[in-house]
Amino acid sequence: MKHAATLNVNGMAYPVELEGDATLLDAIREDIGLTGTKTGCDDCECGACMVMIDGRPVNSCTYLALQAQGSEITTVEGLADGDELSAIQSAFLDQGGVQCGYCTPGMLVSAHALLRHNPDPSEEEIRLALSGNLCRCTGYAKIAEAVMAAAKATA
Amino acid sequence: MGDVAFHTATTVDEALSLVGDGSDAKVVAGGSDLIVQARGGRDLPANVVAIHRIEALRGIDASGDLTLGALASHADITASAAIRSTWTALADASAIVGSHATRNVGTIGGNVMNASPAMETGAPLLVLDARVTLRSAAGGDRTVPIDELWTGPGRTSAQPGELLIDVVVPSLPAHSGSAYVRLEYRRAMEIAIVGASACVTLDGDVVTSAAVALTAVGPTLLRSPSAAAAVIGTTGDAAALAAVAAGASADASPISDLRANEDYRRAMIGVIAKRAVDVAIRRARGEEFPIPATPVFMEGSAR
């Protein structure tokens, strides 16, 4: 049974028709067509699917899409301002915080949420905030440095 | 992916009528347990009632006893100054559930009704003598002590049509302290290998009452009467803590699974129970101890 719904993603309202058990991850990638959000473990372990719901990071692979109606969803595509990269995106590029890139959208979303909540985090706070995001290349040092650099850049 | 009906209830009465209509509806709050279980091969229920928009279930009231609305999230619990200072074991537990993302969606109600014997908040709720309010359209409210709620792995004594409304945790006498400690292989997205919670009350230096409960060493969360008895009447010295460890290991009935075998769990539950009792006593004495107690203990302590 399909349910008609509207999902608000990155400031746009998308009318969609969703199965009751569709995940938010599938709705974003398959129905809306924003493929920046990645399918990793698809089991709430790796954080590749991280999005923000009303400003708070959530694993979209284990969130029912229909529960997100009425909320503001932000994906990695929503972090930039038009063609202008956000501070955290620029810092990941400048500091080499990207290796294969698969975890990067989730890392960016978690880091973005952290900096909005805590503009001047310690390295320990950064590592804790990113602890739900796994990097299979194990490039954590540069990722943490990128978040520190972004915090400095926006201070 | 199958044919799933989905309703969002915005009031408790609406939710009760949706779960009480005999259609075998399943309540979903944050959804993380439900969807992970579906991935594990269990079917999603054919009829889902989402309760996450019911504002009346969201609050935390710490003005007397602590009342946690069913939708209080682990993030909310971790951030509550009252819970951190008074019902500290619960803050220790909620602070280490999953990751930030899990704590934003995971709720106390979902945790309690999912009835996993490995849930972090379960042992704290036992030692703090929590009770829950279950409501049904036909039967009104009934109060169930947390000991009587969990009947097996994933099973509760809640009846079809009943909805968890809140979890109530009594206030504590002066000079009380509590803690929750788990054994973990990694810092995030972890589930207890074993865990233990303790709540103690002191008269001067001596423990006059104590409760100890154990995580992931039985079909439900377990109380450990032997561990509690071992510390009552003592100052929590090394001999008493060794007796706590022996008591916890004796009371445990662990199984072997993917994450640890039975012997390892039985050995480690003693160590973890001893640490939980030690931290609870320190807190009861007014000593500052970091929240969560778990990672600090594992990394920094010489004990």
Side-chain angles (χ1 to χ4, degrees), chain A residues 1 3 20-21 23 42 44-45 56-57 61-62 66-67 69 71 128-129 131, chain B residues 1-4 6 29 35-36 39 44 52-53 99-101 104 186-189:
Chain A
M1 183 163 74
H3 302 257
D21 56 359
T23 65
D42 208 13
C44 205
E45 299 273 350
R56 311 181 93 179
C61 75
T62 39
L66 290 168
Q67 286 198 273
Q69 291 181 89
S71 290
L128 270 176
S131 62
Chain B
M1 294 283 153
D3 200 17
V4 174
F6 182 96
I35 299 176
V36 170
R39 293 275 154 58
L44 259 183
H52 65 303
R53 300 288 183 203
S99 70
H100 283 274
N104 286 335
R186 54 178 179 169
R187 286 289 294 277
M189 302 316 295

PDB file of all heavy atoms in Angstrom, chain A residues 1 3 20-21 23 42 44-45 56-57 61-62 66-67 69 71 128-129 131, chain B residues 1-4 6 29 35-36 39 44 52-53 99-101 104 186-189:
ATOM      1  N   MET A   1       0.850  -1.202   0.000  1.00  0.00           N
ATOM      2  CA  MET A   1       0.000   0.000   0.000  1.00  0.00           C
ATOM      3  C   MET A   1       0.879   1.242   0.000  1.00  0.00           C
ATOM      4  O   MET A   1       1.707   1.428   0.875  1.00  0.00           O
ATOM      5  CB  MET A   1      -0.887  -0.007   1.244  1.00  0.00           C
ATOM      6  CG  MET A   1      -1.845   1.147   1.279  1.00  0.00           C
ATOM      7  SD  MET A   1      -3.183   0.893   2.456  1.00  0.00           S
ATOM      8  CE  MET A   1      -2.395   1.118   4.025  1.00  0.00           C
ATOM      9  N   HIS A   3       1.577   5.219   0.360  1.00  0.00           N
ATOM     10  CA  HIS A   3       1.047   6.342   1.122  1.00  0.00           C
ATOM     11  C   HIS A   3       1.561   7.634   0.485  1.00  0.00           C
ATOM     12  O   HIS A   3       2.765   7.784   0.302  1.00  0.00           O
ATOM     13  CB  HIS A   3       1.522   6.279   2.576  1.00  0.00           C
ATOM     14  CG  HIS A   3       1.141   5.012   3.279  1.00  0.00           C
ATOM     15  ND1 HIS A   3       0.105   4.935   4.170  1.00  0.00           N
ATOM     16  CD2 HIS A   3       1.660   3.757   3.211  1.00  0.00           C
ATOM     17  CE1 HIS A   3       0.006   3.689   4.634  1.00  0.00           C
ATOM     18  NE2 HIS A   3       0.941   2.961   4.060  1.00  0.00           N
ATOM     19  N   GLY A  20       4.739   1.748   3.438  1.00  0.00           N
ATOM     20  CA  GLY A  20       4.782   1.989   4.874  1.00  0.00           C
ATOM     21  C   GLY A  20       6.112   1.627   5.501  1.00  0.00           C
ATOM     22  O   GLY A  20       6.504   2.190   6.529  1.00  0.00           O
ATOM     23  N   ASP A  21       6.838   0.677   4.890  1.00  0.00           N
ATOM     24  CA  ASP A  21       8.112   0.262   5.475  1.00  0.00           C
ATOM     25  C   ASP A  21       9.320   0.849   4.737  1.00  0.00           C
ATOM     26  O   ASP A  21      10.440   0.416   4.948  1.00  0.00           O
ATOM     27  CB  ASP A  21       8.210  -1.267   5.529  1.00  0.00           C
ATOM     28  CG  ASP A  21       8.012  -1.919   4.170  1.00  0.00           C
ATOM     29  OD1 ASP A  21       7.779  -1.187   3.186  1.00  0.00           O
ATOM     30  OD2 ASP A  21       8.088  -3.151   4.099  1.00  0.00           O
ATOM     31  N   THR A  23      12.384   3.117   4.061  1.00  0.00           N
ATOM     32  CA  THR A  23      13.260   3.883   4.945  1.00  0.00           C
ATOM     33  C   THR A  23      13.475   5.277   4.361  1.00  0.00           C
ATOM     34  O   THR A  23      13.325   5.500   3.154  1.00  0.00           O
ATOM     35  CB  THR A  23      14.628   3.206   5.111  1.00  0.00           C
ATOM     36  OG1 THR A  23      15.300   3.199   3.849  1.00  0.00           O
ATOM     37  CG2 THR A  23      14.475   1.791   5.638  1.00  0.00           C
ATOM     38  N   ASP A  42      23.618  -0.449   5.908  1.00  0.00           N
ATOM     39  CA  ASP A  42      22.155  -0.525   5.898  1.00  0.00           C
ATOM     40  C   ASP A  42      21.637  -1.205   7.167  1.00  0.00           C
ATOM     41  O   ASP A  42      20.620  -1.874   7.149  1.00  0.00           O
ATOM     42  CB  ASP A  42      21.657  -1.269   4.648  1.00  0.00           C
ATOM     43  CG  ASP A  42      20.257  -0.808   4.238  1.00  0.00           C
ATOM     44  OD1 ASP A  42      19.799   0.230   4.750  1.00  0.00           O
ATOM     45  OD2 ASP A  42      19.626  -1.492   3.419  1.00  0.00           O
ATOM     46  N   CYS A  44      22.323   0.443  10.569  1.00  0.00           N
ATOM     47  CA  CYS A  44      22.481   1.347  11.708  1.00  0.00           C
ATOM     48  C   CYS A  44      23.825   1.181  12.421  1.00  0.00           C
ATOM     49  O   CYS A  44      23.917   1.296  13.639  1.00  0.00           O
ATOM     50  CB  CYS A  44      21.336   1.160  12.703  1.00  0.00           C
ATOM     51  SG  CYS A  44      21.026   2.623  13.704  1.00  0.00           S
ATOM     52  N   GLU A  45      24.878   0.895  11.675  1.00  0.00           N
ATOM     53  CA  GLU A  45      26.195   0.730  12.284  1.00  0.00           C
ATOM     54  C   GLU A  45      27.214   1.744  11.773  1.00  0.00           C
ATOM     55  O   GLU A  45      28.086   2.163  12.524  1.00  0.00           O
ATOM     56  CB  GLU A  45      26.749  -0.679  11.988  1.00  0.00           C
ATOM     57  CG  GLU A  45      25.916  -1.823  12.523  1.00  0.00           C
ATOM     58  CD  GLU A  45      26.281  -2.186  13.955  1.00  0.00           C
ATOM     59  OE1 GLU A  45      27.288  -1.692  14.464  1.00  0.00           O
ATOM     60  OE2 GLU A  45      25.523  -2.964  14.556  1.00  0.00           O
ATOM     61  N   ARG A  56      19.224  17.514  13.867  1.00  0.00           N
ATOM     62  CA  ARG A  56      19.930  16.497  14.654  1.00  0.00           C
ATOM     63  C   ARG A  56      20.288  15.306  13.772  1.00  0.00           C
ATOM     64  O   ARG A  56      19.444  14.826  13.010  1.00  0.00           O
ATOM     65  CB  ARG A  56      19.059  16.025  15.826  1.00  0.00           C
ATOM     66  CG  ARG A  56      18.467  17.165  16.615  1.00  0.00           C
ATOM     67  CD  ARG A  56      17.646  16.669  17.780  1.00  0.00           C
ATOM     68  NE  ARG A  56      18.458  16.597  18.972  1.00  0.00           N
ATOM     69  CZ  ARG A  56      18.004  16.211  20.160  1.00  0.00           C
ATOM     70  NH1 ARG A  56      16.759  15.834  20.298  1.00  0.00           N
ATOM     71  NH2 ARG A  56      18.799  16.197  21.205  1.00  0.00           N
ATOM     72  N   PRO A  57      21.535  14.811  13.872  1.00  0.00           N
ATOM     73  CA  PRO A  57      21.926  13.692  13.016  1.00  0.00           C
ATOM     74  C   PRO A  57      21.149  12.410  13.330  1.00  0.00           C
ATOM     75  O   PRO A  57      20.920  12.099  14.502  1.00  0.00           O
ATOM     76  CB  PRO A  57      23.420  13.508  13.316  1.00  0.00           C
ATOM     77  CG  PRO A  57      23.714  14.289  14.532  1.00  0.00           C
ATOM     78  CD  PRO A  57      22.641  15.316  14.698  1.00  0.00           C
ATOM     79  N   CYS A  61      18.982   5.035   7.344  1.00  0.00           N
ATOM     80  CA  CYS A  61      18.714   3.643   6.938  1.00  0.00           C
ATOM     81  C   CYS A  61      17.763   2.955   7.902  1.00  0.00           C
ATOM     82  O   CYS A  61      17.169   1.941   7.564  1.00  0.00           O
ATOM     83  CB  CYS A  61      20.011   2.850   6.835  1.00  0.00           C
ATOM     84  SG  CYS A  61      20.739   2.393   8.433  1.00  0.00           S
ATOM     85  N   THR A  62      17.666   3.460   9.112  1.00  0.00           N
ATOM     86  CA  THR A  62      16.804   2.806  10.098  1.00  0.00           C
ATOM     87  C   THR A  62      15.755   3.774  10.619  1.00  0.00           C
ATOM     88  O   THR A  62      15.341   3.711  11.769  1.00  0.00           O
ATOM     89  CB  THR A  62      17.627   2.227  11.270  1.00  0.00           C
ATOM     90  OG1 THR A  62      18.657   3.137  11.591  1.00  0.00           O
ATOM     91  CG2 THR A  62      18.237   0.905  10.902  1.00  0.00           C
ATOM     92  N   LEU A  66       8.091   7.705   6.352  1.00  0.00           N
ATOM     93  CA  LEU A  66       6.826   8.378   6.656  1.00  0.00           C
ATOM     94  C   LEU A  66       6.874   9.089   8.012  1.00  0.00           C
ATOM     95  O   LEU A  66       6.104  10.012   8.255  1.00  0.00           O
ATOM     96  CB  LEU A  66       5.666   7.373   6.607  1.00  0.00           C
ATOM     97  CG  LEU A  66       5.327   6.867   5.195  1.00  0.00           C
ATOM     98  CD1 LEU A  66       4.378   5.674   5.275  1.00  0.00           C
ATOM     99  CD2 LEU A  66       4.711   7.989   4.349  1.00  0.00           C
ATOM    100  N   GLN A  67       7.793   8.673   8.885  1.00  0.00           N
ATOM    101  CA  GLN A  67       7.926   9.371  10.170  1.00  0.00           C
ATOM    102  C   GLN A  67       8.575  10.744  10.001  1.00  0.00           C
ATOM    103  O   GLN A  67       8.528  11.562  10.911  1.00  0.00           O
ATOM    104  CB  GLN A  67       8.764   8.534  11.151  1.00  0.00           C
ATOM    105  CG  GLN A  67       8.017   7.332  11.698  1.00  0.00           C
ATOM    106  CD  GLN A  67       8.678   6.794  12.966  1.00  0.00           C
ATOM    107  OE1 GLN A  67       9.590   5.978  12.897  1.00  0.00           O
ATOM    108  NE2 GLN A  67       8.222   7.263  14.113  1.00  0.00           N
ATOM    109  N   GLN A  69       7.752  12.979   7.788  1.00  0.00           N
ATOM    110  CA  GLN A  69       6.821  14.008   7.332  1.00  0.00           C
ATOM    111  C   GLN A  69       6.697  15.081   8.410  1.00  0.00           C
ATOM    112  O   GLN A  69       6.573  14.766   9.587  1.00  0.00           O
ATOM    113  CB  GLN A  69       5.438  13.420   7.117  1.00  0.00           C
ATOM    114  CG  GLN A  69       5.324  12.470   5.961  1.00  0.00           C
ATOM    115  CD  GLN A  69       3.900  11.976   5.832  1.00  0.00           C
ATOM    116  OE1 GLN A  69       3.086  12.577   5.153  1.00  0.00           O
ATOM    117  NE2 GLN A  69       3.607  10.891   6.528  1.00  0.00           N
ATOM    118  N   SER A  71       8.981  17.171   9.212  1.00  0.00           N
ATOM    119  CA  SER A  71      10.296  17.568   9.718  1.00  0.00           C
ATOM    120  C   SER A  71      11.114  18.180   8.584  1.00  0.00           C
ATOM    121  O   SER A  71      10.818  17.978   7.404  1.00  0.00           O
ATOM    122  CB  SER A  71      11.048  16.354  10.270  1.00  0.00           C
ATOM    123  OG  SER A  71      10.445  15.899  11.448  1.00  0.00           O
ATOM    124  N   LEU A 128      34.173  11.912  19.501  1.00  0.00           N
ATOM    125  CA  LEU A 128      32.919  11.355  20.017  1.00  0.00           C
ATOM    126  C   LEU A 128      31.759  11.641  19.067  1.00  0.00           C
ATOM    127  O   LEU A 128      30.945  10.767  18.793  1.00  0.00           O
ATOM    128  CB  LEU A 128      32.609  11.948  21.398  1.00  0.00           C
ATOM    129  CG  LEU A 128      33.162  11.189  22.589  1.00  0.00           C
ATOM    130  CD1 LEU A 128      32.856  11.950  23.869  1.00  0.00           C
ATOM    131  CD2 LEU A 128      32.548   9.781  22.673  1.00  0.00           C
ATOM    132  N   ALA A 129      31.706  12.870  18.537  1.00  0.00           N
ATOM    133  CA  ALA A 129      30.589  13.242  17.657  1.00  0.00           C
ATOM    134  C   ALA A 129      30.628  12.444  16.358  1.00  0.00           C
ATOM    135  O   ALA A 129      29.597  12.220  15.733  1.00  0.00           O
ATOM    136  CB  ALA A 129      30.636  14.738  17.353  1.00  0.00           C
ATOM    137  N   SER A 131      31.813   9.344  16.237  1.00  0.00           N
ATOM    138  CA  SER A 131      32.029   7.934  16.587  1.00  0.00           C
ATOM    139  C   SER A 131      30.984   7.018  15.964  1.00  0.00           C
ATOM    140  O   SER A 131      31.193   5.813  15.896  1.00  0.00           O
ATOM    141  CB  SER A 131      32.086   7.744  18.105  1.00  0.00           C
ATOM    142  OG  SER A 131      30.857   8.130  18.684  1.00  0.00           O
TER     143      SER A 131
ATOM    144  N   MET B   1      10.501  -5.968   1.728  1.00  0.00           N
ATOM    145  CA  MET B   1       9.546  -4.859   1.834  1.00  0.00           C
ATOM    146  C   MET B   1       8.152  -5.351   1.441  1.00  0.00           C
ATOM    147  O   MET B   1       7.972  -5.940   0.375  1.00  0.00           O
ATOM    148  CB  MET B   1       9.957  -3.705   0.913  1.00  0.00           C
ATOM    149  CG  MET B   1      11.283  -3.041   1.331  1.00  0.00           C
ATOM    150  SD  MET B   1      11.064  -1.944   2.726  1.00  0.00           S
ATOM    151  CE  MET B   1      12.698  -1.998   3.472  1.00  0.00           C
ATOM    152  N   GLY B   2       7.216  -5.153   2.330  1.00  0.00           N
ATOM    153  CA  GLY B   2       5.899  -5.708   2.067  1.00  0.00           C
ATOM    154  C   GLY B   2       4.799  -4.674   2.117  1.00  0.00           C
ATOM    155  O   GLY B   2       5.053  -3.488   1.939  1.00  0.00           O
ATOM    156  N   ASP B   3       3.614  -5.159   2.343  1.00  0.00           N
ATOM    157  CA  ASP B   3       2.450  -4.295   2.336  1.00  0.00           C
ATOM    158  C   ASP B   3       2.195  -3.833   3.760  1.00  0.00           C
ATOM    159  O   ASP B   3       1.650  -4.569   4.566  1.00  0.00           O
ATOM    160  CB  ASP B   3       1.260  -5.097   1.795  1.00  0.00           C
ATOM    161  CG  ASP B   3       0.171  -4.186   1.314  1.00  0.00           C
ATOM    162  OD1 ASP B   3       0.442  -2.999   1.107  1.00  0.00           O
ATOM    163  OD2 ASP B   3      -0.963  -4.677   1.151  1.00  0.00           O
ATOM    164  N   VAL B   4       2.645  -2.634   4.070  1.00  0.00           N
ATOM    165  CA  VAL B   4       2.601  -2.164   5.447  1.00  0.00           C
ATOM    166  C   VAL B   4       1.692  -0.942   5.566  1.00  0.00           C
ATOM    167  O   VAL B   4       1.898   0.063   4.890  1.00  0.00           O
ATOM    168  CB  VAL B   4       4.022  -1.810   5.947  1.00  0.00           C
ATOM    169  CG1 VAL B   4       3.969  -1.187   7.328  1.00  0.00           C
ATOM    170  CG2 VAL B   4       4.900  -3.051   5.958  1.00  0.00           C
ATOM    171  N   PHE B   6       0.415   2.270   7.602  1.00  0.00           N
ATOM    172  CA  PHE B   6       1.170   3.198   8.443  1.00  0.00           C
ATOM    173  C   PHE B   6       0.251   4.318   8.890  1.00  0.00           C
ATOM    174  O   PHE B   6      -0.405   4.958   8.074  1.00  0.00           O
ATOM    175  CB  PHE B   6       2.347   3.770   7.644  1.00  0.00           C
ATOM    176  CG  PHE B   6       3.226   4.712   8.433  1.00  0.00           C
ATOM    177  CD1 PHE B   6       4.380   4.238   9.035  1.00  0.00           C
ATOM    178  CD2 PHE B   6       2.902   6.064   8.567  1.00  0.00           C
ATOM    179  CE1 PHE B   6       5.197   5.092   9.767  1.00  0.00           C
ATOM    180  CE2 PHE B   6       3.705   6.917   9.297  1.00  0.00           C
ATOM    181  CZ  PHE B   6       4.853   6.434   9.893  1.00  0.00           C
ATOM    182  N   ALA B  29       8.361   4.242  17.840  1.00  0.00           N
ATOM    183  CA  ALA B  29       8.728   5.574  18.346  1.00  0.00           C
ATOM    184  C   ALA B  29       9.851   6.116  17.458  1.00  0.00           C
ATOM    185  O   ALA B  29       9.615   6.841  16.509  1.00  0.00           O
ATOM    186  CB  ALA B  29       9.134   5.484  19.804  1.00  0.00           C
ATOM    187  N   ILE B  35      13.399  -1.546  12.709  1.00  0.00           N
ATOM    188  CA  ILE B  35      13.923  -1.729  11.353  1.00  0.00           C
ATOM    189  C   ILE B  35      15.138  -2.642  11.361  1.00  0.00           C
ATOM    190  O   ILE B  35      15.307  -3.469  10.472  1.00  0.00           O
ATOM    191  CB  ILE B  35      14.227  -0.361  10.709  1.00  0.00           C
ATOM    192  CG1 ILE B  35      12.925   0.437  10.626  1.00  0.00           C
ATOM    193  CG2 ILE B  35      14.827  -0.541   9.328  1.00  0.00           C
ATOM    194  CD1 ILE B  35      13.086   1.819  10.102  1.00  0.00           C
ATOM    195  N   VAL B  36      15.975  -2.533  12.401  1.00  0.00           N
ATOM    196  CA  VAL B  36      17.121  -3.436  12.486  1.00  0.00           C
ATOM    197  C   VAL B  36      16.635  -4.881  12.617  1.00  0.00           C
ATOM    198  O   VAL B  36      17.185  -5.797  12.009  1.00  0.00           O
ATOM    199  CB  VAL B  36      18.049  -3.032  13.652  1.00  0.00           C
ATOM    200  CG1 VAL B  36      19.110  -4.099  13.895  1.00  0.00           C
ATOM    201  CG2 VAL B  36      18.711  -1.698  13.356  1.00  0.00           C
ATOM    202  N   ARG B  39      15.599  -6.140   9.278  1.00  0.00           N
ATOM    203  CA  ARG B  39      16.768  -6.513   8.471  1.00  0.00           C
ATOM    204  C   ARG B  39      17.282  -7.886   8.876  1.00  0.00           C
ATOM    205  O   ARG B  39      17.820  -8.615   8.061  1.00  0.00           O
ATOM    206  CB  ARG B  39      17.907  -5.510   8.682  1.00  0.00           C
ATOM    207  CG  ARG B  39      17.644  -4.159   8.174  1.00  0.00           C
ATOM    208  CD  ARG B  39      17.982  -4.040   6.714  1.00  0.00           C
ATOM    209  NE  ARG B  39      17.196  -2.987   6.104  1.00  0.00           N
ATOM    210  CZ  ARG B  39      17.207  -1.731   6.510  1.00  0.00           C
ATOM    211  NH1 ARG B  39      17.979  -1.356   7.492  1.00  0.00           N
ATOM    212  NH2 ARG B  39      16.460  -0.836   5.927  1.00  0.00           N
ATOM    213  N   LEU B  44       8.635  -6.872   9.129  1.00  0.00           N
ATOM    214  CA  LEU B  44       8.028  -5.707   9.760  1.00  0.00           C
ATOM    215  C   LEU B  44       6.556  -6.033   9.966  1.00  0.00           C
ATOM    216  O   LEU B  44       5.959  -6.749   9.159  1.00  0.00           O
ATOM    217  CB  LEU B  44       8.141  -4.492   8.831  1.00  0.00           C
ATOM    218  CG  LEU B  44       9.216  -3.458   9.096  1.00  0.00           C
ATOM    219  CD1 LEU B  44       9.082  -2.332   8.090  1.00  0.00           C
ATOM    220  CD2 LEU B  44       9.141  -2.879  10.487  1.00  0.00           C
ATOM    221  N   HIS B  52       5.556   9.134  17.408  1.00  0.00           N
ATOM    222  CA  HIS B  52       6.605  10.131  17.661  1.00  0.00           C
ATOM    223  C   HIS B  52       6.106  11.564  17.663  1.00  0.00           C
ATOM    224  O   HIS B  52       6.824  12.452  18.081  1.00  0.00           O
ATOM    225  CB  HIS B  52       7.749   9.964  16.661  1.00  0.00           C
ATOM    226  CG  HIS B  52       7.362  10.250  15.235  1.00  0.00           C
ATOM    227  ND1 HIS B  52       6.346   9.591  14.600  1.00  0.00           N
ATOM    228  CD2 HIS B  52       7.859  11.124  14.327  1.00  0.00           C
ATOM    229  CE1 HIS B  52       6.235  10.058  13.356  1.00  0.00           C
ATOM    230  NE2 HIS B  52       7.143  10.978  13.173  1.00  0.00           N
ATOM    231  N   ARG B  53       4.873  11.809  17.175  1.00  0.00           N
ATOM    232  CA  ARG B  53       4.336  13.184  17.180  1.00  0.00           C
ATOM    233  C   ARG B  53       3.423  13.454  18.387  1.00  0.00           C
ATOM    234  O   ARG B  53       2.758  14.485  18.428  1.00  0.00           O
ATOM    235  CB  ARG B  53       3.550  13.451  15.902  1.00  0.00           C
ATOM    236  CG  ARG B  53       4.357  13.307  14.616  1.00  0.00           C
ATOM    237  CD  ARG B  53       5.335  14.450  14.443  1.00  0.00           C
ATOM    238  NE  ARG B  53       6.037  14.333  13.164  1.00  0.00           N
ATOM    239  CZ  ARG B  53       7.229  14.898  12.930  1.00  0.00           C
ATOM    240  NH1 ARG B  53       7.836  15.600  13.859  1.00  0.00           N
ATOM    241  NH2 ARG B  53       7.814  14.746  11.775  1.00  0.00           N
ATOM    242  N   SER B  99      25.157   5.762  19.000  1.00  0.00           N
ATOM    243  CA  SER B  99      25.943   6.969  18.740  1.00  0.00           C
ATOM    244  C   SER B  99      25.022   8.173  18.952  1.00  0.00           C
ATOM    245  O   SER B  99      23.847   8.002  19.282  1.00  0.00           O
ATOM    246  CB  SER B  99      26.446   6.970  17.299  1.00  0.00           C
ATOM    247  OG  SER B  99      25.355   7.176  16.409  1.00  0.00           O
ATOM    248  N   HIS B 100      25.546   9.364  18.703  1.00  0.00           N
ATOM    249  CA  HIS B 100      24.690  10.553  18.774  1.00  0.00           C
ATOM    250  C   HIS B 100      23.402  10.346  17.987  1.00  0.00           C
ATOM    251  O   HIS B 100      22.317  10.706  18.445  1.00  0.00           O
ATOM    252  CB  HIS B 100      25.423  11.766  18.184  1.00  0.00           C
ATOM    253  CG  HIS B 100      26.446  12.337  19.099  1.00  0.00           C
ATOM    254  ND1 HIS B 100      26.154  13.267  20.062  1.00  0.00           N
ATOM    255  CD2 HIS B 100      27.770  12.097  19.208  1.00  0.00           C
ATOM    256  CE1 HIS B 100      27.251  13.580  20.717  1.00  0.00           C
ATOM    257  NE2 HIS B 100      28.250  12.887  20.230  1.00  0.00           N
ATOM    258  N   ALA B 101      23.540   9.776  16.795  1.00  0.00           N
ATOM    259  CA  ALA B 101      22.374   9.605  15.922  1.00  0.00           C
ATOM    260  C   ALA B 101      21.349   8.666  16.556  1.00  0.00           C
ATOM    261  O   ALA B 101      20.139   8.917  16.488  1.00  0.00           O
ATOM    262  CB  ALA B 101      22.815   9.079  14.560  1.00  0.00           C
ATOM    263  N   ASN B 104      19.516  10.370  19.427  1.00  0.00           N
ATOM    264  CA  ASN B 104      18.521  11.354  19.005  1.00  0.00           C
ATOM    265  C   ASN B 104      17.171  10.729  18.706  1.00  0.00           C
ATOM    266  O   ASN B 104      16.142  11.385  18.869  1.00  0.00           O
ATOM    267  CB  ASN B 104      19.016  12.108  17.758  1.00  0.00           C
ATOM    268  CG  ASN B 104      20.104  13.110  18.086  1.00  0.00           C
ATOM    269  OD1 ASN B 104      20.194  13.594  19.214  1.00  0.00           O
ATOM    270  ND2 ASN B 104      20.936  13.420  17.107  1.00  0.00           N
ATOM    271  N   ARG B 186      34.171  -1.507  21.706  1.00  0.00           N
ATOM    272  CA  ARG B 186      34.418  -0.246  20.996  1.00  0.00           C
ATOM    273  C   ARG B 186      33.569   0.841  21.632  1.00  0.00           C
ATOM    274  O   ARG B 186      32.645   0.554  22.390  1.00  0.00           O
ATOM    275  CB  ARG B 186      34.102  -0.386  19.505  1.00  0.00           C
ATOM    276  CG  ARG B 186      32.711  -0.900  19.241  1.00  0.00           C
ATOM    277  CD  ARG B 186      32.408  -0.985  17.757  1.00  0.00           C
ATOM    278  NE  ARG B 186      31.054  -1.510  17.543  1.00  0.00           N
ATOM    279  CZ  ARG B 186      30.425  -1.513  16.381  1.00  0.00           C
ATOM    280  NH1 ARG B 186      31.005  -1.012  15.327  1.00  0.00           N
ATOM    281  NH2 ARG B 186      29.214  -2.008  16.271  1.00  0.00           N
ATOM    282  N   ARG B 187      33.881   2.080  21.317  1.00  0.00           N
ATOM    283  CA  ARG B 187      33.265   3.207  22.005  1.00  0.00           C
ATOM    284  C   ARG B 187      31.849   3.530  21.528  1.00  0.00           C
ATOM    285  O   ARG B 187      31.056   4.068  22.289  1.00  0.00           O
ATOM    286  CB  ARG B 187      34.140   4.464  21.813  1.00  0.00           C
ATOM    287  CG  ARG B 187      35.412   4.464  22.622  1.00  0.00           C
ATOM    288  CD  ARG B 187      35.169   4.651  24.111  1.00  0.00           C
ATOM    289  NE  ARG B 187      34.625   5.947  24.433  1.00  0.00           N
ATOM    290  CZ  ARG B 187      35.363   7.035  24.588  1.00  0.00           C
ATOM    291  NH1 ARG B 187      36.664   6.987  24.452  1.00  0.00           N
ATOM    292  NH2 ARG B 187      34.802   8.181  24.893  1.00  0.00           N
ATOM    293  N   ALA B 188      31.552   3.268  20.247  1.00  0.00           N
ATOM    294  CA  ALA B 188      30.246   3.684  19.728  1.00  0.00           C
ATOM    295  C   ALA B 188      29.562   2.528  19.025  1.00  0.00           C
ATOM    296  O   ALA B 188      30.208   1.551  18.647  1.00  0.00           O
ATOM    297  CB  ALA B 188      30.415   4.840  18.744  1.00  0.00           C
ATOM    298  N   MET B 189      28.264   2.655  18.828  1.00  0.00           N
ATOM    299  CA  MET B 189      27.467   1.631  18.162  1.00  0.00           C
ATOM    300  C   MET B 189      27.714   0.267  18.800  1.00  0.00           C
ATOM    301  O   MET B 189      27.777  -0.748  18.124  1.00  0.00           O
ATOM    302  CB  MET B 189      27.766   1.584  16.653  1.00  0.00           C
ATOM    303  CG  MET B 189      27.535   2.880  15.922  1.00  0.00           C
ATOM    304  SD  MET B 189      26.000   3.736  16.361  1.00  0.00           S
ATOM    305  CE  MET B 189      24.762   2.592  15.772  1.00  0.00           C
TER     306      MET B 189
END
